[in-house]
């Protein structure tokens, strides 16, 4: 079994390079056949909403909406429960395929055998 990647992105427009790096690594993992779970936390929580990734801009970077589409096509995208609640985001608000889950699920994923956790 291949090593899995659990990637937590805590930055959004407030830290565009960190945000883009997380999405880029997640998409590269998917393209390489690695199991990927991308967690949207903090300001990255907004990218669970339709159209928000399209608003993200970073020169010389692959569009965030394209990277998100890659991750959604072959991996798991999770919006942090508390981050969603603080932003009044509910299950009916998110992009199809995005789940909302909390700390226990994150801990389960990062402690799984052969899992590698990365935080951006």
């Amino acid at each position: 079994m291949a090593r899995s990647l659990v990637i937590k992105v805590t930055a959004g427009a407030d830290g565009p390079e960190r945000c883009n790096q997380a999405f880029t690594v997640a998409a590269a993992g998917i393209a390489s056949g690695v199991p990927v779970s991308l967690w949207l936390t903090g300001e990255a929580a907004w990218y669970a909403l339709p159209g928000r990734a399209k608003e993200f801009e970073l020169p010389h970077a692959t569009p965030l909406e394209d990277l998100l589409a890659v991750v959604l096509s072959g991996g798991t995208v999770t919006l942090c429960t508390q981050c969603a609640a603080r932003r009044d985001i509910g299950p009916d608000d998110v992009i199809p395929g995005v789940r909302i889950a909390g700390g226990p699920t994150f801990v389960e994923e990062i402690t799984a055998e052969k899992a590698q956790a990365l935080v951006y």
Side-chain angles (χ1 to χ4, degrees):
M1 178 177 138
R3 185 174 214 174
S4 64
L5 284 176
V6 181
I7 301 169
K8 179 186 253 191
V9 55
T10 63
D14 60 328
E17 289 186 298
R18 277 189 300 133
C19 180
N20 183 263
Q21 288 169 5
F23 278 81
T24 298
V25 169
I30 295 294
S32 299
V34 174
V36 172
S37 177
L38 178 65
W39 282 74
L40 305 176
T41 69
E43 287 302 297
W46 294 115
Y47 301 121
L49 297 175
R52 288 293 183 100
K54 187 174 185 166
E55 297 171 4
F56 181 91
E57 291 184 13
L58 183 64
H60 310 289
T62 302
L64 202 67
E65 68 178 329
D66 295 349
L67 298 171
L68 179 56
V70 169
V71 180
L72 282 167
S73 74
T76 303
V77 178
T78 306
L79 171 59
C80 162
T81 302
Q82 290 181 6
C83 300
R86 281 190 282 276
R87 290 161 180 81
D88 294 320
I89 299 172
D92 294 334
D93 300 320
V94 300
I95 297 167
V98 173
R99 68 179 178 166
I100 298 177
T105 304
F106 182 73
V107 170
E108 180 181 335
E109 288 187 13
I110 65 171
T111 59
E113 189 173 339
K114 295 188 178 183
Q116 173 67 53
L118 303 171
V119 179
Y120 288 88

